[in-house]
Amino acid sequence: MLETLEILLLSLADDDLILGHRHAEWIGLGPILEEDIAFASIGQDEIGHAQAYYQLLTDLGLPTPDEYAFKRPAERFRCAHLVELPNTDYDYAQALMRHFLYDAAEQVRLQALRQSRYEPLAGLAERLLREEKYHWLHARTWVEKLGHSTEEAYLRLKSAYHLLWPYAWLLFEELPQEAAMVEAGWLPPNAELRSRWLELITPILAGIGFEVGPPASEVLLPLQGARHGLRSPHFEALLAEMTEVSASEPEAEW
Amino acid sequence: MVTPKEVRQWLQAVRDPEIPHVSIVDMGMVGEVTVEGEKVRVELIPTYAGCPAIKLLQAEIQAVLASKGLEAEVEVNYQRPWRAEAVTPAGWAGLRRAGFALPKHLSGDPDALFADISCPRCGSTAVSLSTPFGPTACRAIFRCHNCGEAFELFKPPV
């Protein structure tokens, strides 16, 4: 069961670590100072959350958080491709829409994990949810504000939404060995979590005039496999950059 | 024989470098303390999981207790949520001295936490939230419409 638990915790941790890294790329480049600070702060939270998930594995004799983050080959990461996508042209609408879709998913995931029968995870989810409420408030507020503002804001949000939607849908791709996890009472099936996520975001997206529905299967098919270790073309460069400093002095104490 | 109570008193010397007005004890970050001979176990409860001061605080706890001839093991517990209710009266007073506005509604949701805030400089309630985020995880930035200054709210997880 340890291997199954590792799959679950790495998928949660890696999503947070990689999105935290992407959020941090906004430092110094936000459209206004407050957003620069917001993305930096949210990114720091997400990286801290990743560390706390890795620590649950460390407590069971598996590698340390630093080893998981900085010394793991690309194919052993289990994050969703949504979080790997680069901040192309630093389009704030795209960063905001990703933050919105992801943090809605985190709300749903963490609320469910509070009931997990794996107690260390239930305790951690309770803590993280209390921190995450600010992320969700931030994302929701800006999507609603910009969705009702200028034509340009609306169109840019809409094009970000269309680009990201299939990737966001696959945040809830079935995990390897998911049946055993559900059987153990660790989490509800991802298909069920996706339904709850849709219930949360549909009224908000519909409120700004966006249609919500399942992506076409021919769109989804080539994007699948992230939870099995299949990385997107963007991951290698991200990992090289993220591990550059630690790789320069592998034995250093930080 | 050293008691957990004495250990807590000594840990009054340990402070987050970002908020040196408040000890980790008054911040409610010290959980269980157990003493066995010269070995002490201290449970440290981070305010936010991503707080970068944790490693430093761990080392400082060990240094303070080492100066008393004790060997300390510090267990950082992420599985127990830190709650603002654990801040002591001395802790709240220290946060006020540090220049923070303090929240009136601690539990519930962010909207409640950000309501009924007054400016720590002029006391005005004509204030608005600039961003729920700030220079550290536990701060939000407000603006006062009376004195025109920006100020920070101490923002615990809700």
Side-chain angles (χ1 to χ4, degrees), chain A residues 6 10 54 57 62-72 77:
Chain A
E6 193 186 32
L10 288 186
Y54 294 135
L57 293 167
L62 290 170
T64 64
D66 277 357
E67 285 165 345
Y68 273 124
F70 300 123
K71 294 184 178 168
R72 202 168 15 143
F77 278 77

Side-chain angles (χ1 to χ4, degrees), chain A residues 135-248:
Chain A
H135 301 186
W136 176 231
L137 170 76
H138 177 261
R140 199 182 59 207
T141 304
W142 275 112
V143 163
E144 285 178 332
K145 266 187 205 268
L146 291 174
H148 288 293
S149 64
T150 62
E151 181 77 4
E152 188 194 347
Y154 173 81
L155 290 175
R156 282 176 59 181
L157 266 186
K158 191 160 193 175
S159 107
Y161 171 63
H162 284 301
L163 171 79
L164 297 172
W165 183 243
Y167 293 97
W169 186 267
L170 290 173
L171 278 171
F172 299 98
E173 193 179 356
E174 188 177 330
L175 295 170
Q177 302 176 36
E178 183 168 308
M181 296 171 191
V182 173
E183 172 81 13
W186 292 348
L187 85 167
N190 266 294
E192 191 180 320
L193 292 175
R194 181 188 284 136
S195 305
R196 295 184 201 170
W197 174 68
L198 288 169
E199 275 172 36
L200 179 62
I201 60 176
T202 300
I204 300 168
L205 291 170
I208 56 171
F210 293 2
E211 278 176 34
V212 180
S217 55
E218 64 267 26
V219 174
L220 288 180
L221 219 53
L223 304 179
Q224 284 172 352
R227 301 301 189 189
H228 290 262
L230 200 68
R231 305 278 43 99
S232 77
H234 312 291
F235 191 76
E236 206 174 317
L238 181 152
L239 188 64
E241 187 185 89
M242 193 174 78
T243 57
E244 190 183 349
V245 176
S246 67
S248 69

Side-chain angles (χ1 to χ4, degrees), chain A residues 104-117:
Chain A
E106 286 236 277
Q107 287 295 305
V108 165
R109 264 196 321 214
L110 290 170
Q111 277 167 15
L113 289 172
R114 280 200 296 180
Q115 321 293 327
S116 177
R117 258 187 265 156

Side-chain angles (χ1 to χ4, degrees), chain B residues 22-41:
Chain B
V22 187
S23 77
I24 56 169
V25 177
D26 286 325
M27 202 66 160
M29 294 173 67
V30 178
E32 280 194 37
V33 176
T34 50
V35 183
E36 271 178 52
E38 284 167 9
K39 288 193 174 169
V40 182
R41 222 188 113 270

